[in-house]
Structures are given as structure tokens and as C-alpha cells.
Amino acid sequence: MGLTSQSTGISTLKEMLNIQLSSTDDIVLALAGNPNTGKSTVFNSLTGLNQHTGNWTGKTVTTAQGNYKFKGKNFVLVDLPGTYSLLSNSVEEEIARDFICFGNPHATIVVADATCLERNLNLVLQILEMTDKVVLCVNLMDEARRKNIGIDLDKLSDILGIPVVGTNARNGEGLEKLMEAVYKVCSGEISTKPVKIPYDKNIEAIIESIDEKIKPLISNKINSKWVSLKLIDGDKTILKSIYKYLDIDLAELNIIPGIETNQIQYSSIRDEIVSSIVKFAESISRQVVHIKNKTYNRLDRKIDDILTSKLFGIPIMIALLGIVFWITIEGANVPSSAIANVLFAIEDKLTLLFIKYDLPDWLHGALVLGVYRTLAWVVSVMLPPMAIFFPLFTFLEDLGYLPRVAFNLDNYFKKACAHGKQALTMCMGFGCNAAGVIGCRIIDSPRERLIAILTNFFVPCNGRFPTLITITTIFIAGAAKGHLQAIIATLTITGVIVLGVIMTLFVSRILSKTILKGIPSSFALELPPYRKPQVGRIIVRSILDRTIFVLSRAVVVAAPAGLIIWLMANMNINGISLLDYGAGFLQPFAHLLGMDGYILMAFILGLPANEIVMPIIIMSYMATGTMIELESMEALRNLLVSNGWTWLTAINVMLFCLMHFPCGTTLLTIRKETKSWKWTFAAFLIPTMAGITITFIVTQTVRLLGLI
Amino acid sequence: MNNNIVPLHLIPCGKSAKVKEITAKGNIRRRMLDLGLIVDTIVESLRKSPSGDPIAYEIRGAVIALRSEEASKILVELL
């Protein structure tokens, strides 16, 4: 083995990343940085909409790529996972390291947070050890100014030996300069002279001795000094990566045992290396950062005092959740009926068209009453709440509130033997459970990640909110009038969600005590400074990234589902429709759970997308086998009552909506994430069993007590 | 051994302390070092979460919450 000349490593890495180059002149850039530095804002501002996300082959880490044009050149920007360091050997860090080292980007942009420069310098210095072509982007300059933190960028550039550009990516400030600096580094107009981290004499000596041995082998493919350092550091993954990408086998040299016989304690060397970097970052920070006002973060502290206080922390959290739902419910009513009016007016026009051209009844039934009407329902019911809910949720996200939620709830998750970050993935589930499941990648420990994945479905996603909202509005709050109605509906939904959270914790604990035994792993959560949310950006991004995405998915599923349901409702065997057959079959079981066969049938047919559960229920009740128009809540209520609904039915439908099998997309995502059908099946079974058990207990108790 | 040396999670909120030793091993130790928790680092205990654990600390300008299991592996000297 050893050094074989045809190293195809670099192209392999590019393939692995699936980097799309339009020509060989394209310039590839890596974008690195700590989490919470606005790295993705820099990425979005630079590339606009010219981006796509992709998975790392074989790794559960997603990365985004985009491109921008500058001075006639095409720059391909690869957004690496946000990490604090490149030394801890997590999957993200390994990927970021490998791309910078072996992917041969023309330059690496490191994004740092101006309000927390010292900690960010840690990563900058580590990257400077690996590559010369680096541009430092000190982002969030406006936040720093607001906090009276002065940063001498020129001096920082002198010390580090690389270009340093101050930016405020949210309004585009400094991005032109950043592109200019990157251009000059890539073209060689600026030659960088990265500062070297001073290590202890003993370590320098060891580095030297190893460097001598490996230098002839790796020649100048990568920085041999850095490799030596990694070897002393006891990092075995680097050997693997060097073999994989450069086809050089350094393991043969047996360097690591060699160090061990030198009688130097490993752990102390590792500490020494990290300490040197941290101390160096500290000394640089002292020279360039001037905090004019020592109490610069007093406001943040005060907000935290309230939002995470012993007394109010959790009530405020629930109240905020309630407010978000109240605004969503109140605000969605008007546009919802307006959209419904427009869409159903179009339906009438379509019907006229069918009559005019004398098209057959069944075609009209299947296409207009089946496909179109289901679509109209889904759009008019889902679009307004989503268009309100997503921006509000993104607002809280942007503000920096979600880590506080995790902070408040961590102890409960710890008691459930789960990971603290599960609170965050749970919050992501509110948007979409599939997204929540993907989000579980932020949890390192495989055991805790599985728990988070298996329990994610206990928080209702946007596909299920319409069902919950409709039922609460017409059934629970139906008796009250006007604003009181919205308030009661809000309280009910908030209650349902709190129940979902309790179930999440409860089931997590059961899993930890049974099939996924173990103790909670370490937990360090950053509470980033609060940031002023950019309202315009929030609206654009939440509508583009989330609303359109979720809605289009629902539409894609709803159209064929509408057709199938119409067919099932209209195809008769012995005068009984298929739908009735199914419902009749499910009826005895459904009755035990306080529901009826049609409802259970709707949940099963709603497997592709939960959005269509309510429409199917309504459609089944209509003698015509098509969905009614959304004329009024009163009409809907009458329809349900005349089909035997009571408050108990409503409660059970809501409970079952909260706890049943995840939708098809979520299940497929779980399969992809866990790479196991067994766990996918568990994810299917666990919430279903929970739902069946709870609705059964509720129903039987109520009936036994004679409450109904 | 100095009597002033206590595990980090025991220092009262609002007080600062200087890191003396990190007893954690392996990857946890690594992560702590990455956060800048090295000997002689000044850490301020900021606030407890509503149920008392985890506790948020200011470490080198960043606010980091640590569970008591982790914080107990950081020995500090109260300032």
C-alpha cells in the first residue's frame, strides 16, 4: 500500500457531496462556522434562491449548496454543518473537517458571531491549521454595535494573517466586501499567511518528530504538521480519512503506539492542545474586542430572568403557545371562508362546463366532486392557519426562544432519561413530524435519538391542527359565541398539546426503562443571545420554505385521495358502498373507542396525509358520497350530530388524532433515518397503541359512570 | 486540598468561580474543553431552570446550560 499515485480521493469527495459544477472554472467554497452565528443567513443572502439541499452519502447530515456569481465567475458555496470545534469527532465535525481538508475547496469562509468572538475564534484557529485559504466573516455586527462591543477588524486581520470582513448578513451589509475578499483569495491577489498556534515546547518537539516520518508520504497533499498534531491528539478517524481520500496508509507507520511508548500521558497532551487553542483565542480576543459597556447583555439577562423563571417560566411558555394558537384560530376564520367561497364558486363553474359539454356523470363525480372538492377543502382549511402559524413560529425561533423552551423542560426530559435537545425536536414536530424526525439528528446518542424519533408524533403537526381546530370550534366551543368561542378553542387546543408533551415524556420514560434502556448522556445547550427578528425575512422564508412545501405535499396527496374516496363511496356491491363495507367492518371496534367506523376508516385512509381525515369523515356522512361545501360551522355541526356525534365522540377523535399511526411521509422518513423497518414499525405501533388505550379508557369510564 | 474547591453545580447563582480541574473523561471532557472550559477559566453561574436543573453558566461570553451530572465533573474555586 503506502503511497499510490493515482489518488482519486478528491473527486470521490465531490461526488459524495453531489456538488453540481456547471463548468470546470467554477470556484468551490466551504462555509463553516459555529451554530447560531447567522451562518445560514450568510448562505441565504449570498446565494438567494440558487440553492439545494442534499444528504451526505451514508451520513445522516444534510448540507445545503448554492451558487452566486461575482465578477463573471461562478462560486459554488457548500454550507458545512455548524460546529463549535473540529476536535470532538462527532459526525458533523468529521464531515466539516474532511471537506475542508480533502475536498480541496478554493477557499473556506468561516462565519463568526461578533458578539461572542472569543469562542468563535476557537474554530477559526483550528481551520487555519488545516488550510491557508480562509476568509473570516465576522457577522452580526449590528448586534455587536447595539451591545457596544467594538471589534478592531483590521487588527484581527493582521493577527490572523487572513482577510477579515465585518458583515450584517440580514440586511446585506458587508456581503459585497466579503465576495471581493473571497475572490481575491481565490485568484491569489491576496496571499494569506495564517498565524500558527503556539504549542508547548514538548508538543512542538513531538510534532516535529512525527512530521519527519509522515511528510515524505503525504508530500504536500495536505498540511503534514496538522496531520501530526491530529495523530498526537489520538484522532484515529484522520487515519481513516487520509486512507479513504488520499489512498495513503499511515497506520502502517504505527505512529500512535510510538507516542505511547514515549511515556507521555495521552489525556494530558489532548488537554494541552485544546488549552493552547483556547488560550490563544483568548489573547487574540483581548487585543481586538473592546467591550465599552460591561453590562452589555443585561437586557438578555433580564428577559431570561422572566422567561426561564422558576415561577413564570413554564406558565409563560404555555401562554405563548396559547397566544400563537389564538391568533391562528381567530385570524384563519375570515380568509378560510373567503378562500372556500372562491374555490367553491369555481366548482360551480366547472360543473356548468361539464353540463355544457354533456360529459358523463361519473366523470363529473370523480373529478369535480371527488378530486377538486377534496383539494378545495384541503387548501381552504389548511392554507390560512399555516400562513399564520408558520410565521409566528418562525418568529419565536428567530428570537432565540426555542433553546429557552429546551432549558425550561430539560429536567423533565432528564427524568424521562431522554436528551434535552428532544425538546427542540419536539418543537420542530409542531410544523411537520417528518421535519421533526429529521431534526433528531442534532441528538448524538443513538439511544436518545431513537427515543426522540419514536415519540415525535405525539405533538400534533400542521396536518392535524385543522382537524383539532375544526372539532374544537364546532363542538367544544360551539356553545359559546364570538370571541369567547376562540378563547375556549384555544384553551382546548393548548390542553391537547400539553397532553401531547406529557405523553412524549411518559412514553420516552417507558422506552428508556424497557426496550431502549440507558442513562441520559451529556447535555450542553447554548442559550444564544436574543436577536431582533427580521419580520420581512420571516414571512418570506416561512411561506416559501414551509407553507408552500407542506401545502403542495398535501395537495399532491389530497388529489388522488379525493378520487379514491369518491370511488369507494360510489362503488356499490349489493347496494352497499365500499366505504360502508369498510366502516361496517370497523364499527364494533370503533364503538369500543367511542368513535364510529367511518371515523376510524377516515384515519386509515388519511395515512398518506392527516390533513384529509376530517374531509373524509364529512364526505362519508354525506349520502351523496361527496364532501359538503364549507357553508357554515353550524351545518357541519348538524351533520355530525345527526350522525351520532356527542361530546365524547369529539374528545375521542381529538385524542385519536393526537395519538395514532404517523402519516406515510413521516414513516418513510423514520425508515430513512433509522435504516430499520423494525423501528419504523415501532414508530407506527407505539402512538397507535397509546391512542387505542386512552380512547378506550376514556370511553368506558364515561359510559360506566353514565355521563352520557 | 483547598476547602474552597467545589463542583460547579453547587456554586450559588450570580457567583463566579475559577475552573480548577475537569474530572470528566472521554468525549464529555472533550466537549467541555471545546466550550473553552479549561483550567483557570472564569465561569459565572447565571440561573437555574424552573425545576432547578440544568443551570445556565456564562462561559467565555456564551451562555451554556449544563445538567448537574456534567457540571459536577467540573471542580471550581469560588471567587
Side-chain angles (χ1 to χ4, degrees), chain A residues 473-479 632-643 645:
Chain A
T473 328
I474 61 177
F475 251 89
I476 313 289
S632 69
M633 286 294 184
E634 196 53 38
L636 208 55
R637 184 184 159 83
N638 288 338
L639 176 79
L640 295 179
V641 170
S642 66
N643 277 283
W645 276 51

mmCIF file of all heavy atoms in Angstrom, chain A residues 473-479 632-643 645:
data_model
loop_
_atom_site.group_PDB
_atom_site.id
_atom_site.type_symbol
_atom_site.label_atom_id
_atom_site.label_comp_id
_atom_site.label_asym_id
_atom_site.label_seq_id
_atom_site.Cartn_x
_atom_site.Cartn_y
_atom_site.Cartn_z
ATOM 1 N N THR A 473 -63.689 24.000 17.499
ATOM 2 C CA THR A 473 -64.519 25.169 17.206
ATOM 3 C C THR A 473 -65.986 24.766 17.139
ATOM 4 O O THR A 473 -66.841 25.457 17.686
ATOM 5 C CB THR A 473 -64.101 25.821 15.873
ATOM 6 O OG1 THR A 473 -62.709 25.642 15.701
ATOM 7 C CG2 THR A 473 -64.417 27.282 15.847
ATOM 8 N N ILE A 474 -66.303 23.659 16.467
ATOM 9 C CA ILE A 474 -67.725 23.360 16.317
ATOM 10 C C ILE A 474 -68.296 22.589 17.501
ATOM 11 O O ILE A 474 -69.473 22.704 17.793
ATOM 12 C CB ILE A 474 -68.035 22.603 15.007
ATOM 13 C CG1 ILE A 474 -67.307 21.267 14.953
ATOM 14 C CG2 ILE A 474 -67.728 23.443 13.808
ATOM 15 C CD1 ILE A 474 -67.655 20.469 13.725
ATOM 16 N N PHE A 475 -67.453 21.837 18.200
ATOM 17 C CA PHE A 475 -68.037 21.007 19.247
ATOM 18 C C PHE A 475 -67.809 21.516 20.657
ATOM 19 O O PHE A 475 -68.730 21.711 21.421
ATOM 20 C CB PHE A 475 -67.534 19.562 19.124
ATOM 21 C CG PHE A 475 -68.618 18.663 18.661
ATOM 22 C CD1 PHE A 475 -68.835 18.461 17.313
ATOM 23 C CD2 PHE A 475 -69.464 18.064 19.586
ATOM 24 C CE1 PHE A 475 -69.863 17.657 16.882
ATOM 25 C CE2 PHE A 475 -70.489 17.265 19.161
ATOM 26 C CZ PHE A 475 -70.707 17.052 17.809
ATOM 27 N N ILE A 476 -66.544 21.726 20.972
ATOM 28 C CA ILE A 476 -66.229 22.119 22.344
ATOM 29 C C ILE A 476 -66.667 23.563 22.583
ATOM 30 O O ILE A 476 -67.299 23.894 23.568
ATOM 31 C CB ILE A 476 -64.720 21.968 22.633
ATOM 32 C CG1 ILE A 476 -64.220 20.618 22.137
ATOM 33 C CG2 ILE A 476 -64.425 22.185 24.091
ATOM 34 C CD1 ILE A 476 -64.661 19.402 22.888
ATOM 35 N N ALA A 477 -66.307 24.430 21.617
ATOM 36 C CA ALA A 477 -66.585 25.850 21.810
ATOM 37 C C ALA A 477 -67.893 26.253 21.153
ATOM 38 O O ALA A 477 -68.304 27.395 21.223
ATOM 39 C CB ALA A 477 -65.436 26.671 21.249
ATOM 40 N N GLY A 478 -68.556 25.303 20.536
ATOM 41 C CA GLY A 478 -69.752 25.605 19.756
ATOM 42 C C GLY A 478 -70.825 26.333 20.541
ATOM 43 O O GLY A 478 -71.537 27.185 19.992
ATOM 44 N N ALA A 479 -70.918 26.029 21.820
ATOM 45 C CA ALA A 479 -71.974 26.630 22.621
ATOM 46 C C ALA A 479 -71.737 28.124 22.855
ATOM 47 O O ALA A 479 -72.676 28.913 22.900
ATOM 48 C CB ALA A 479 -72.081 25.904 23.951
ATOM 49 N N SER A 632 -71.225 26.578 6.574
ATOM 50 C CA SER A 632 -71.142 27.180 7.901
ATOM 51 C C SER A 632 -70.785 26.105 8.898
ATOM 52 O O SER A 632 -70.996 24.919 8.676
ATOM 53 C CB SER A 632 -72.485 27.797 8.279
ATOM 54 O OG SER A 632 -73.414 26.756 8.485
ATOM 55 N N MET A 633 -70.234 26.562 10.002
ATOM 56 C CA MET A 633 -69.866 25.641 11.064
ATOM 57 C C MET A 633 -71.132 24.963 11.605
ATOM 58 O O MET A 633 -71.096 23.812 12.016
ATOM 59 C CB MET A 633 -69.171 26.414 12.184
ATOM 60 C CG MET A 633 -67.759 26.819 11.820
ATOM 61 S SD MET A 633 -66.718 25.356 11.638
ATOM 62 C CE MET A 633 -65.130 26.089 11.344
ATOM 63 N N GLU A 634 -72.241 25.714 11.563
ATOM 64 C CA GLU A 634 -73.494 25.197 12.096
ATOM 65 C C GLU A 634 -73.942 23.971 11.286
ATOM 66 O O GLU A 634 -74.323 22.943 11.840
ATOM 67 C CB GLU A 634 -74.549 26.315 12.043
ATOM 68 C CG GLU A 634 -75.776 26.068 12.901
ATOM 69 C CD GLU A 634 -75.427 25.746 14.360
ATOM 70 O OE1 GLU A 634 -74.482 26.339 14.903
ATOM 71 O OE2 GLU A 634 -76.114 24.865 14.941
ATOM 72 N N ALA A 635 -73.834 24.095 9.968
ATOM 73 C CA ALA A 635 -74.243 22.992 9.096
ATOM 74 C C ALA A 635 -73.391 21.762 9.380
ATOM 75 O O ALA A 635 -73.882 20.633 9.433
ATOM 76 C CB ALA A 635 -74.108 23.410 7.639
ATOM 77 N N LEU A 636 -72.123 22.021 9.597
ATOM 78 C CA LEU A 636 -71.186 20.943 9.871
ATOM 79 C C LEU A 636 -71.543 20.252 11.178
ATOM 80 O O LEU A 636 -71.573 19.027 11.287
ATOM 81 C CB LEU A 636 -69.781 21.560 9.968
ATOM 82 C CG LEU A 636 -68.615 20.677 9.614
ATOM 83 C CD1 LEU A 636 -68.769 20.099 8.222
ATOM 84 C CD2 LEU A 636 -67.321 21.488 9.700
ATOM 85 N N ARG A 637 -71.866 21.086 12.160
ATOM 86 C CA ARG A 637 -72.231 20.560 13.473
ATOM 87 C C ARG A 637 -73.482 19.688 13.365
ATOM 88 O O ARG A 637 -73.533 18.580 13.901
ATOM 89 C CB ARG A 637 -72.456 21.730 14.435
ATOM 90 C CG ARG A 637 -72.753 21.301 15.855
ATOM 91 C CD ARG A 637 -73.069 22.519 16.722
ATOM 92 N NE ARG A 637 -73.815 22.104 17.899
ATOM 93 C CZ ARG A 637 -73.236 21.615 18.992
ATOM 94 N NH1 ARG A 637 -71.938 21.504 19.040
ATOM 95 N NH2 ARG A 637 -73.954 21.242 20.023
ATOM 96 N N ASN A 638 -74.466 20.194 12.640
ATOM 97 C CA ASN A 638 -75.702 19.442 12.476
ATOM 98 C C ASN A 638 -75.451 18.097 11.815
ATOM 99 O O ASN A 638 -76.017 17.080 12.210
ATOM 100 C CB ASN A 638 -76.710 20.239 11.650
ATOM 101 C CG ASN A 638 -77.262 21.401 12.466
ATOM 102 O OD1 ASN A 638 -77.209 21.364 13.706
ATOM 103 N ND2 ASN A 638 -77.748 22.427 11.800
ATOM 104 N N LEU A 639 -74.574 18.136 10.812
ATOM 105 C CA LEU A 639 -74.251 16.903 10.107
ATOM 106 C C LEU A 639 -73.651 15.873 11.054
ATOM 107 O O LEU A 639 -74.035 14.700 11.062
ATOM 108 C CB LEU A 639 -73.274 17.202 8.967
ATOM 109 C CG LEU A 639 -72.796 15.969 8.207
ATOM 110 C CD1 LEU A 639 -73.844 15.512 7.211
ATOM 111 C CD2 LEU A 639 -71.474 16.235 7.512
ATOM 112 N N LEU A 640 -72.704 16.336 11.868
ATOM 113 C CA LEU A 640 -72.024 15.415 12.785
ATOM 114 C C LEU A 640 -72.993 14.898 13.835
ATOM 115 O O LEU A 640 -73.024 13.703 14.138
ATOM 116 C CB LEU A 640 -70.825 16.111 13.447
ATOM 117 C CG LEU A 640 -69.679 16.522 12.507
ATOM 118 C CD1 LEU A 640 -68.572 17.216 13.285
ATOM 119 C CD2 LEU A 640 -69.114 15.313 11.778
ATOM 120 N N VAL A 641 -73.806 15.801 14.392
ATOM 121 C CA VAL A 641 -74.741 15.387 15.438
ATOM 122 C C VAL A 641 -75.737 14.381 14.878
ATOM 123 O O VAL A 641 -76.031 13.364 15.510
ATOM 124 C CB VAL A 641 -75.469 16.618 16.024
ATOM 125 C CG1 VAL A 641 -76.611 16.169 16.945
ATOM 126 C CG2 VAL A 641 -74.496 17.484 16.809
ATOM 127 N N SER A 642 -76.214 14.652 13.657
ATOM 128 C CA SER A 642 -77.202 13.737 13.091
ATOM 129 C C SER A 642 -76.576 12.376 12.787
ATOM 130 O O SER A 642 -77.264 11.387 12.588
ATOM 131 C CB SER A 642 -77.826 14.341 11.836
ATOM 132 O OG SER A 642 -76.843 14.454 10.844
ATOM 133 N N ASN A 643 -75.244 12.318 12.773
ATOM 134 C CA ASN A 643 -74.586 11.030 12.596
ATOM 135 C C ASN A 643 -74.107 10.443 13.920
ATOM 136 O O ASN A 643 -73.197 9.634 13.953
ATOM 137 C CB ASN A 643 -73.428 11.164 11.620
ATOM 138 C CG ASN A 643 -73.914 11.075 10.187
ATOM 139 O OD1 ASN A 643 -74.200 10.003 9.677
ATOM 140 N ND2 ASN A 643 -74.085 12.235 9.566
ATOM 141 N N TRP A 645 -72.763 12.011 16.670
ATOM 142 C CA TRP A 645 -71.638 12.557 17.430
ATOM 143 C C TRP A 645 -72.116 13.160 18.741
ATOM 144 O O TRP A 645 -73.143 13.832 18.792
ATOM 145 C CB TRP A 645 -70.915 13.641 16.624
ATOM 146 C CG TRP A 645 -69.917 13.107 15.660
ATOM 147 C CD1 TRP A 645 -70.127 12.131 14.737
ATOM 148 C CD2 TRP A 645 -68.568 13.538 15.503
ATOM 149 N NE1 TRP A 645 -68.988 11.914 14.018
ATOM 150 C CE2 TRP A 645 -68.009 12.772 14.462
ATOM 151 C CE3 TRP A 645 -67.769 14.491 16.121
ATOM 152 C CZ2 TRP A 645 -66.694 12.943 14.041
ATOM 153 C CZ3 TRP A 645 -66.470 14.664 15.703
ATOM 154 C CH2 TRP A 645 -65.928 13.880 14.677
#
